[in-house]
Amino acid sequence: MAIFEKRRLWLAVLAALALAFPLLVTNGYYLHMMTISFIWMIAVYGLNLFAGYTGYLSLAHAGFFAIGAYTLGILTVKVGVPFWLAFVSACLLTTLIGALVGLVALRTKEHFFAIYTLCVGYIIYLVIDKWDGLTGGVRGFIGIPAPADIGPLSFQTPVAQYYLLLFFLAAVVFIMYRLVYSLTGRTYIAIRNSEELALTLGISTMKNKLASFVLSVFFTSLAGALYASFIRFLGPDIAYVSVMFDFLTYLLVGGIGTLAGPVVGTLLVTFLSQQLQFLQDYRMLIFGPVLTLLIIFYPHGITGGFIRFKAKREEARCLKLEANRTVAELAASRQGRSERHVKEG
């Protein structure tokens, strides 16, 4: 009970800090970086659901991110669809494409699945890069509108967009929390731990893997649509493999298969890389080795390493209590035997 109370306290503190951030930080650059970090977090949560909890590494999520972004841009700019209708349509269309890809991709396993999805992601990049008439090609896609007003709520200012993205991030975290601690989440973890054992228990692994993949694509497409409405300019680079590996970096640093990992990893890597911008191309000489050492010594990420440290400390405390209890029982038993000997004597 005390653990849940402490967790709620930390969540309340983090929520208060997130809400007060625009009031505490007057620098518009940091507000922009935090807002864009929220978008990356949502995308990384999508990757974390499938890779961290189901055990399959998809390398096509940057492509799905780009499809969500470009679909929103095309529907609003070229077709003239109202913003929020285009927003929902972009997420649904990307999710449908993800379901079709998943039906084929999930017939493969392990590294074959990763290679297949990597090829899918690169094909998406080539389509965006070469289809000038639809996507603008290398010239990019401009003129994407900001989120439309909802009644009295306006999202035209940076602070308003910050709170809008914070709302979507909070919704994704809530869904992830409810999912992970549900029977469905336990099913995903069972598939991750041993797909063969899950099959023997009567779990429909294909159906559950497809559901996990589709939901992860939905989260990533949501991030893509939010990115398009926030940046308002798109280029084919957002579908490139480097973006996919940025997502993986955020996830591995924060902690794969943990709820807080995408937040911790994204914030740390984003702001660390920005602080090293003054080094220009040489910043990777510092950032690269630091990242390598972190992955070597903390293979479960910062959050995963912290959770394992707490678990080991709790286990050591329990063992110590058990040892003390055993010693006390032995001492009491020895004292009882001594008293019986005295009485018999």
Side-chain angles (χ1 to χ4, degrees):
M1 191 68 179
I3 295 176
F4 287 107
E5 291 297 330
K6 187 180 294 186
R7 184 180 298 173
R8 289 177 181 175
L9 177 61
W10 277 109
L11 287 175
V13 171
L14 290 175
L17 288 174
L19 290 172
F21 184 81
L23 305 176
L24 300 175
V25 178
T26 56
N27 190 324
Y29 173 75
Y30 289 112
L31 181 65
H32 175 87
M33 288 307 304
M34 183 61 76
T35 306
I36 199 72
S37 294
F38 290 163
I39 297 174
W40 303 138
M41 289 174 197
I42 295 172
V44 175
Y45 268 111
L47 182 62
N48 189 33
L49 173 62
F50 194 62
Y53 289 99
T54 313
Y56 277 68
L57 178 60
S58 169
L59 298 178
H61 272 54
F64 296 130
F65 178 88
I67 292 176
Y70 270 93
T71 303
L72 176 68
I74 292 169
L75 290 178
T76 53
V77 176
K78 292 194 173 184
V79 183
V81 177
F83 178 85
W84 290 111
L85 179 59
F87 185 87
V88 174
S89 300
C91 295
L92 293 179
L93 178 61
T94 310
T95 303
L96 177 61
I97 295 173
L100 297 177
V101 171
L103 284 172
V104 178
L106 289 170
R107 298 182 183 279
T108 62
K109 293 183 179 180
E110 299 175 353
H111 55 280
F112 296 108
F113 176 84
I115 294 171
Y116 181 87
T117 53
L118 178 63
C119 294
V120 170
Y122 193 69
I123 290 172
I124 294 172
Y125 164 75
L126 289 177
V127 171
I128 293 173
D129 185 58
K130 304 301 180 184
W131 197 347
D132 291 356
L134 183 66
T135 66
V138 295
R139 297 190 307 274
F141 199 96
I142 61 175
I144 302 170
D149 298 347
I150 302 177
L153 298 177
S154 176
F155 306 106
Q156 303 303 313
T157 65
V159 174
Q161 291 177 0
Y162 170 90
Y163 284 117
L164 176 66
L165 289 168
L166 178 61
F167 167 78
F168 278 107
L169 174 62
V172 169
V173 173
F174 177 75
I175 293 171
M176 282 288 297
Y177 176 81
R178 297 288 294 178
L179 181 65
V180 168
Y181 288 100
S182 68
L183 180 60
T184 303
R186 299 300 180 188
T187 302
Y188 295 161
I189 294 172
I191 294 173
R192 179 194 67 187
N193 292 339
S194 176
E195 190 169 341
E196 290 76 13
L197 180 58
L199 280 170
T200 61
L201 294 174
I203 296 174
S204 177
T205 56
M206 182 63 182
K207 182 177 72 175
N208 282 281
K209 287 189 298 183
L210 182 61
S212 175
F213 184 75
V214 169
L215 185 56
S216 72
V217 170
F218 173 78
F219 286 157
T220 307
S221 66
L222 174 64
L226 291 170
Y227 178 86
S229 64
F230 179 67
I231 300 299
R232 305 177 70 179
F233 167 81
L234 299 174
D237 288 345
I238 64 170
Y240 198 58
V241 179
S242 59
V243 175
M244 184 66 240
F245 286 109
D246 285 342
F247 292 164
L248 279 175
T249 301
Y250 301 151
L251 183 57
L252 291 175
V253 171
I256 188 170
T258 63
L259 280 175
V263 175
V264 174
T266 303
L267 285 178
L268 182 63
V269 176
T270 300
F271 281 91
L272 180 60
S273 61
Q274 289 301 316
Q275 293 302 317
L276 296 176
Q277 283 288 348
F278 69 95
L279 295 175
Q280 297 181 359
D281 294 337
Y282 297 100
R283 68 184 187 275
M284 292 307 298
L285 294 177
I286 297 176
F287 184 70
V290 170
L291 178 62
T292 303
L293 291 173
L294 182 64
I295 293 176
I296 290 174
F297 292 103
Y298 282 86
H300 301 284
I302 294 174
T303 305
F306 179 72
I307 292 173
R308 287 175 178 269
F309 171 75
K310 285 184 63 177
K312 288 182 179 179
R313 190 173 65 175
E314 183 65 22
E315 183 182 359
R317 190 181 69 84
C318 292
L319 289 174
K320 185 177 180 180
L321 289 175
E322 186 66 27
N324 292 337
R325 189 181 299 112
T326 303
V327 170
E329 290 175 355
L330 289 174
S333 176
R334 189 176 301 156
Q335 183 178 359
R337 288 198 300 269
S338 299
E339 290 176 355
R340 285 197 300 271
H341 287 317
V342 170
K343 289 179 180 180
E344 291 174 359

